[in-house]
Amino acid sequence: MPTPARVRIAPSPTGDPHVGTAYTGLFNWMLARQTGGQFILRIEDTDRQRSTNESEEAILRSLRWLGLEYDEGPDVEGPYGPYRQSERSELYRTHVRTLIENGSAYPCFCTAERLSEMRALQRKEKRDPGYDGQCRSIPADEAQQRMDANEPYVIRLKVDKQGATVFQDHLRGEIRIENRTIDDQVLMKSDGFPTYHLANVVDDHLMKITHVLRAEEWITSTPKHVLLYQAFGWDLPVFCHLPLLRNSDKSKISKRKNPTSLDHYREKGYLPEAMLNFLALMGFSPAEGEGEEVFTQDELRQVFSLDRISLGGPVFDLTKLDWLNGNWIRRLDRDDLTKRIQAAIPEGPATETGFIHSVLPLVQERMKTILDYADLTDFFLAPSIHLTNESFRRAKLPSADLVRALERAHAILSEVPDLDPDRDSGRLREGAVDLGLKVGGFFMALRVAVTGKSATPPLIESMQVIGRDQSLARIQSAIDFLQSESEL
Ligand code: GLU
């Protein structure tokens, strides 16, 4: 049995719940569940301007929707809380004091104007950007006096510019960064709130995180974190940076090119099972060479391994998501799918349980999302079918033949009390042949007359749901429509 991993996701509640949160969440969840460890949700809301309660709620809601259950978090409690950074200010203050006392951090009183002049000069002289260290040399007692006198200040990490910082990334091996390129990072802002770096490291340590599994974009922050761990004298966790999700042009996934909000996918009728399955396949091959792509959350938990994460930039391919979603919809049993349709689509005759049950055999196979149900079934209950000349184009028959086809179909179907797909498709086919019309065109004309569409579930089965009389009435209306159009 592997050592239980304590892992976390640490989203900032500053916008819509992001697919990236679900992606890192899933990988962390899989590792925790597989090793019998814990999966923790920590809300990193130190950016007071941008953090909102709504965004935090949306994150919680999305994780619940996906079934990524966490063991500790803002609404679950646990031994290492609070799990919201805005409630941990005192802890960061104590820790930053330790760093000042042991010479690893210092107060910086530079004003915004001075910093922008410094940057302008660096740009002009083509020097590396970064703080120039002016406040490093302020004697401790003078610095204390200025702080006591309420002069605004930030606390910076004192980076020894000699040598290099080295750490292991579980997937990439050794990463080495020259210290002269590491900035004297701000650890605490003038409002007394910590920056991401300080809060993240303090919390990962205090929460006993064993593995930091996060997106690749944080890799440049890691050297700063390593310096902080060293300054505190703490052991490092395992770092593992997951490959970034990408748009199809390989750029980092962005709203402009792909919807990135989990709410979007929920509202559009994607199943959480499919979403998780899809995200798992990004950068991870659950079953090497076996071609199997559909996995339940439980199966994923079993096959997951950190060593099977591949670093090639995984493309967020919506066609693949649609395919998986369709697959997952087909796996649902009737009652489960009925409930999900009823939860997603506004109540009406089309969402009555009996009706859903009567049409599911015809449409379940064709649904890629839950919302497709509405489009695939709207013609069943429509009071009338809206027709245009264009509607009949796919039948590729002249108007007079369309009328002949429909009149024959009407006659054939009027002779029977009930519709029977096997018997009636044969009889309709004979009717087409008898008229000397192409069978495909004949059936297309009938399909359009009865449904208004050129692509539908099986036609006679659909007419059974619509009812024989109603179907005949629609055929008659189509004949009337075609005749009135040809008289114009
Ligand atoms: N707050 C960071 C985020 O928004 C956390 C990054 C990390 O996992 O360290 O993703």
Side-chain angles (χ1 to χ4, degrees):
M1 185 74 189
T3 336
R6 268 183 73 80
V7 291
R8 68 0 176 232
I9 46 167
S12 298
T14 54
D16 289 335
H18 201 274
V19 286
T21 302
Y23 167 65
T24 38
L26 172 64
F27 281 66
N28 277 283
W29 179 91
M30 291 192 286
L31 184 63
R33 290 293 169 266
Q34 190 184 58
T35 58
Q38 289 90 33
F39 171 49
I40 293 141
L41 170 65
R42 180 171 76 228
I43 299 291
E44 297 207 330
D45 57 351
T46 53
D47 184 338
R48 301 312 293 153
Q49 250 85 57
R50 296 177 58 225
S51 300
T52 65
N53 289 341
E54 296 74 53
S55 173
E56 178 182 318
E57 275 160 27
I59 292 170
L60 303 191
R61 180 177 67 230
S62 303
L63 293 174
R64 260 197 306 275
W65 174 63
L66 288 166
L68 291 177
E69 210 180 291
Y70 40 91
D71 306 295
E72 297 166 35
D75 57 343
V76 186
E77 284 318 316
Y80 302 96
Y83 293 92
R84 212 177 265 119
Q85 289 187 328
S86 56
E87 295 165 15
R88 297 171 67 83
S89 304
E90 197 41 49
L91 282 168
Y92 309 126
R93 271 196 281 276
T94 325
H95 281 84
V96 96
R97 242 177 271 136
T98 308
L99 294 181
I100 298 176
E101 280 162 21
N102 74 17
S104 313
Y106 62 96
C108 166
F109 301 93
C110 290
T111 58
E113 294 78 52
R114 161 149 211 276
L115 293 174
S116 75
E117 281 165 20
M118 176 195 81
R119 279 186 211 109
L121 194 66
Q122 284 168 341
R123 268 196 302 275
K124 201 167 139 213
E125 296 179 356
K126 301 206 165 30
R127 280 191 280 132
D128 289 341
Y131 183 58
D132 61 5
Q134 171 162 295
C135 291
R136 277 179 164 223
S137 52
I138 301 175
D141 51 349
E142 184 193 327
Q144 192 57 49
Q145 271 169 20
R146 291 172 71 173
M147 289 193 277
D148 293 345
N150 286 338
E151 188 175 334
Y153 64 93
V154 299
I155 304 291
R156 289 185 185 273
L157 179 65
K158 193 186 268 179
V159 179
D160 177 358
K161 306 287 171 176
Q162 308 298 312
T165 297
V166 180
F167 65 93
Q168 297 292 325
D169 178 277
H170 185 84
L171 298 170
R172 295 167 176 79
E174 184 176 290
I175 295 187
R176 186 187 169 85
I177 311 279
E178 298 302 320
N179 284 357
R180 67 184 156 70
T181 65
I182 306 179
D183 197 10
D184 278 8
Q185 186 66 51
V186 173
L187 301 178
M188 189 161 273
K189 296 174 273 187
S190 54
D191 63 4
F193 270 89
T195 56
Y196 156 68
H197 305 287
L198 176 73
N200 189 270
V201 167
V202 167
D203 286 348
D204 280 349
H205 173 73
L206 295 181
M207 295 181 178
K208 298 201 163 39
I209 298 304
T210 58
H211 295 67
V212 169
L213 251 68
R214 64 181 161 208
E216 194 179 332
E217 61 191 311
W218 301 101
I219 217 164
T220 50
S221 299
T222 310
K224 295 169 190 167
H225 298 183
V226 171
L227 289 175
L228 277 169
Y229 278 97
Q230 289 168 354
F232 283 116
W234 294 337
D235 289 338
L236 296 179
V238 174
F239 289 108
C240 178
H241 291 89
L242 301 171
L244 216 55
L245 302 180
R246 297 187 182 273
N247 300 310
S248 45
D249 62 5
K250 292 277 174 178
S251 56
K252 175 185 161 190
I253 191 167
S254 66
K255 262 204 275 221
R256 276 181 304 116
K257 299 191 178 149
N258 270 307
T260 53
S261 164
L262 290 165
D263 282 343
H264 165 87
Y265 293 97
R266 187 173 43 85
E267 285 159 11
K268 291 287 175 207
Y270 288 90
L271 302 185
E273 292 94 332
M275 195 72 200
L276 282 186
N277 192 160
F278 175 61
L279 292 171
L281 298 181
M282 304 268 127
F284 170 58
S285 39
E288 215 169 333
E290 287 161 34
E292 179 57 71
E293 294 197 286
V294 182
F295 292 92
T296 65
Q297 198 178 353
D298 198 46
E299 286 162 353
L300 288 170
R301 175 184 64 76
Q302 289 174 32
V303 296
F304 180 68
S305 155
L306 276 186
D307 299 324
R308 288 178 92 142
I309 297 174
S310 64
L311 287 177
V315 173
F316 202 83
D317 172 4
L318 293 179
T319 321
K320 179 75 173 272
L321 175 60
D322 281 348
W323 177 81
L324 274 171
N325 206 55
N327 237 286
W328 270 100
I329 287 178
R330 289 197 286 284
R331 286 179 155 220
L332 298 181
D333 68 32
R334 189 182 73 167
D335 293 338
D336 191 356
L337 182 50
T338 302
K339 278 200 211 99
R340 300 203 202 205
I341 291 169
Q342 287 168 332
I345 294 176
E347 204 176 310
T351 59
E352 278 168 17
T353 305
F355 178 73
I356 295 180
H357 288 179
S358 68
V359 291
L360 276 191
L362 302 179
V363 300
Q364 183 166 3
E365 283 284 322
R366 292 175 160 71
M367 290 167 64
K368 287 207 172 68
T369 69
I370 297 289
L371 296 198
D372 283 349
Y373 172 84
D375 293 338
L376 286 168
T377 59
D378 57 359
F379 69 85
F380 285 107
L381 298 169
S384 64
I385 298 298
H386 176 71
L387 294 173
T388 63
N389 281 326
E390 183 59 20
S391 322
F392 286 98
R393 196 175 47 86
R394 291 278 304 279
K396 296 196 184 113
L397 291 177
S399 181
D401 285 344
L402 288 171
V403 173
R404 286 169 65 224
L406 293 178
E407 282 176 338
R408 178 60 69 94
H410 193 278
I412 292 171
L413 298 175
S414 303
E415 283 167 12
V416 292
D418 287 306
L419 298 174
D420 174 332
D422 286 341
R423 181 197 64 205
D424 296 335
S425 63
R427 296 174 68 232
L428 288 166
R429 188 176 297 271
E430 281 162 23
V433 173
D434 189 41
L435 291 176
L437 297 176
K438 285 222 170 78
V439 174
F442 181 95
F443 274 94
M444 182 56 80
L446 184 55
R447 185 181 304 279
V448 172
V450 175
T451 69
K453 303 182 189 213
S454 56
T456 64
L459 182 57
I460 300 176
E461 283 86 341
S462 297
M463 288 198 284
Q464 278 181 309
V465 174
I466 296 166
R468 190 199 72 141
D469 292 349
Q470 174 66 9
S471 300
L472 286 174
R474 289 184 185 185
I475 298 168
Q476 188 56 54
S477 300
I479 296 169
D480 296 345
F481 165 81
L482 289 164
Q483 281 173 336
S484 68
E485 284 293 300
S486 65
E487 280 162 17
L488 288 178

